[in-house]
Amino acid sequence: MNRIRSLVIVLALMAAATLLVSELAGQPAPAQAPAAASPTRLAVCDVMDLLDNFQKARDMMSNLEKQREAVQAEGAAREQNLERMQQVLQGLQPDSPEYTKRLDDAEQAAFELKGWKELQQAKMLREHHRLTNQLYREILQGVGTVARTRGLDLVLYFDRKDPPTRSSPELARVISSKHVLWHDERLDITEDVLSYLNTSYSKAP
């Protein structure tokens, strides 16, 4: 009798255990905590410093300066011609037909000189903007190349040197325009980007 009772108890415990295992198997697995995101790798770069020291930028601006000097020389020649026309007028009688003709020519030359100067100035400003924009795009590409090589996620703009100020309002404008207040020097990739740009430029045909 005791043997039968013990067997019944064992069978009941086995059935309960089987039922518990079945219920646990049907339940979803506990949610795992999401993996921690890798930290963002940052760097800083002085774009204006690159514009000043990129050899291609120096060469472009040197050529632009030569064009400006050529325009200035032509402008000086036009002004001298106008001065000669005005000197001729001084030696003529104001009521003579020759004076009237010479005066018309001088006024026409003065009008053309003014328009020519304005046109040349506009062209020079437009060309300077075009070259600067071209260099800026090339510098951004260089920054991206260096950043990817070093496994960086974000590069911030900063000024290595604060411009000199002469008043509190000027200083306030400089402070308010700063994008990076402090950085570890190891985060500065300006020299790496400059080296990449100058090397690429020296190898270009």
Side-chain angles (χ1 to χ4, degrees), residues 51-52 54-69 124 127-136:
L51 281 171
D52 290 338
F54 184 14
Q55 188 58 48
K56 183 176 182 178
R58 291 181 173 180
D59 292 344
M60 283 185 170
M61 294 308 162
S62 177
N63 291 334
L64 191 62
E65 177 64 18
K66 291 178 181 178
Q67 296 177 26
R68 187 185 67 82
E69 291 174 354
M124 294 297 293
E127 181 66 3
H128 184 275
H129 174 263
R130 185 187 70 82
L131 294 177
T132 304
N133 185 61
Q134 176 183 337
L135 292 166
Y136 173 62

Side-chain angles (χ1 to χ4, degrees), residues 28-131:
Q32 296 181 354
S38 57
T40 301
R41 297 192 61 188
L42 303 177
V44 294
C45 186
D46 188 343
V47 177
M48 296 306 299
D49 187 89
L50 294 176
L51 281 171
D52 290 338
N53 296 291
F54 184 14
Q55 188 58 48
K56 183 176 182 178
R58 291 181 173 180
D59 292 344
M60 283 185 170
M61 294 308 162
S62 177
N63 291 334
L64 191 62
E65 177 64 18
K66 291 178 181 178
Q67 296 177 26
R68 187 185 67 82
E69 291 174 354
V71 168
Q72 285 184 333
E74 183 176 350
R78 288 173 177 251
E79 290 176 349
Q80 289 177 359
N81 181 60
L82 180 59
E83 290 177 359
R84 286 193 296 267
M85 296 174 72
Q86 293 172 344
Q87 289 175 358
V88 171
L89 278 172
Q90 294 176 0
L92 298 175
Q93 294 295 328
D95 55 352
S96 66
E98 181 68 13
Y99 180 88
T100 302
K101 182 181 181 305
R102 295 279 186 171
L103 179 59
D104 290 341
D105 292 342
E107 290 177 343
Q108 179 67 24
F111 177 79
E112 292 177 354
L113 176 60
K114 181 176 182 297
W116 180 85
K117 285 183 176 181
E118 293 176 352
L119 175 62
Q120 297 304 315
Q121 182 179 11
K123 288 172 63 177
M124 294 297 293
L125 290 174
R126 184 168 61 249
E127 181 66 3
H128 184 275
H129 174 263
R130 185 187 70 82
L131 294 177

Side-chain angles (χ1 to χ4, degrees), residues 44-58 132 135-136 139-140 143 156-162 183 188-195 197-198:
V44 294
C45 186
D46 188 343
V47 177
M48 296 306 299
D49 187 89
L50 294 176
L51 281 171
D52 290 338
N53 296 291
F54 184 14
Q55 188 58 48
K56 183 176 182 178
R58 291 181 173 180
T132 304
L135 292 166
Y136 173 62
I139 285 173
L140 287 184
V143 171
L156 301 175
Y157 172 85
F158 87 117
D159 295 312
R160 283 180 162 184
K161 297 179 180 179
D162 290 333
H183 71 281
D188 186 358
I189 63 171
T190 305
E191 295 302 326
D192 292 342
V193 176
L194 181 61
S195 177
L197 292 171
N198 284 333

Side-chain angles (χ1 to χ4, degrees), residues 5-26:
R5 184 179 299 172
S6 299
L7 182 59
V8 170
I9 293 174
V10 169
L11 292 174
L13 290 174
M14 292 177 62
T18 302
L19 180 61
L20 179 60
V21 171
S22 299
E23 290 180 355
L24 290 176

